[in-house]
Amino acid sequence: MFRWPKLLASLFLAALAFTGCAYPTPFDNGLFGPEAPVYPERKLVLIFEKDGSFTPIAGAKATIEVAPPARLISPSSGTGVTDGDGTLALTIAPVAQYDKSALLAGDIAVDYPIALTVTMERGGRLLAWDLNDNQSFARYRDPLYQGLNRDPAEEPAFMTLTLP
């Protein structure tokens, strides 16, 4: 008659052993390795305008210097000329920088930073702009944080630079 408590205790311990109480079950995030997707290039469109009147600066020569480890793809010479709308299109190859602390937790977080300096000579004056563009990729294992998953932008970034 007093076997029920022993039987219930045995069943409870067996259930506890089968559920694996010592380790939480891993989350499935669909990733098969610590590699982010290939992000070979980032397009930037620089728009040069006159300060105050917002008129485009057409036919102006600009020099672009990209800070390593990223590299400039286009214009390959590092010098470009604005079109009739005052725009200059750039293509830059960023380099992935992994967040190693996230990898230790089983997450993947990668930044693709770009830092560049644009210089232009106008009216005997040398004008310079320091620009930054940072894209990122992230995949989190824990469902609580999966709303923070993100991919690098596919569309170009537009940056307006004003001249005095």
Side-chain angles (χ1 to χ4, degrees), residues 45-145:
V45 178
L46 306 180
I47 304 165
F48 294 89
E49 294 179 345
K50 181 85 171 147
D51 190 23
S53 66
F54 305 108
T55 54
I57 308 295
K61 181 178 166 184
T63 303
I64 298 94
E65 294 179 30
V66 177
R71 65 181 176 78
L72 184 65
I73 297 173
S74 169
S76 59
S77 65
T79 303
V81 177
T82 60
D83 64 11
D85 294 326
T87 63
L88 176 61
L90 309 177
T91 305
I92 300 170
V95 174
Q97 296 182 348
Y98 287 84
D99 181 347
K100 292 178 183 164
S101 63
L103 285 173
L104 291 174
D107 301 325
I108 297 178
V110 184
D111 284 326
Y112 300 94
I114 295 173
L116 61 128
T117 302
V118 178
T119 56
M120 180 182 284
E121 186 177 341
R122 295 290 290 178
R125 292 178 38 189
L126 185 64
L127 306 170
W129 297 268
D130 290 323
L131 306 174
N132 292 300
D133 182 70
N134 189 25
Q135 295 297 306
S136 61
F137 170 86
R139 290 293 182 272
Y140 297 97
R141 293 178 64 192
D142 190 330
L144 182 64
Y145 298 108

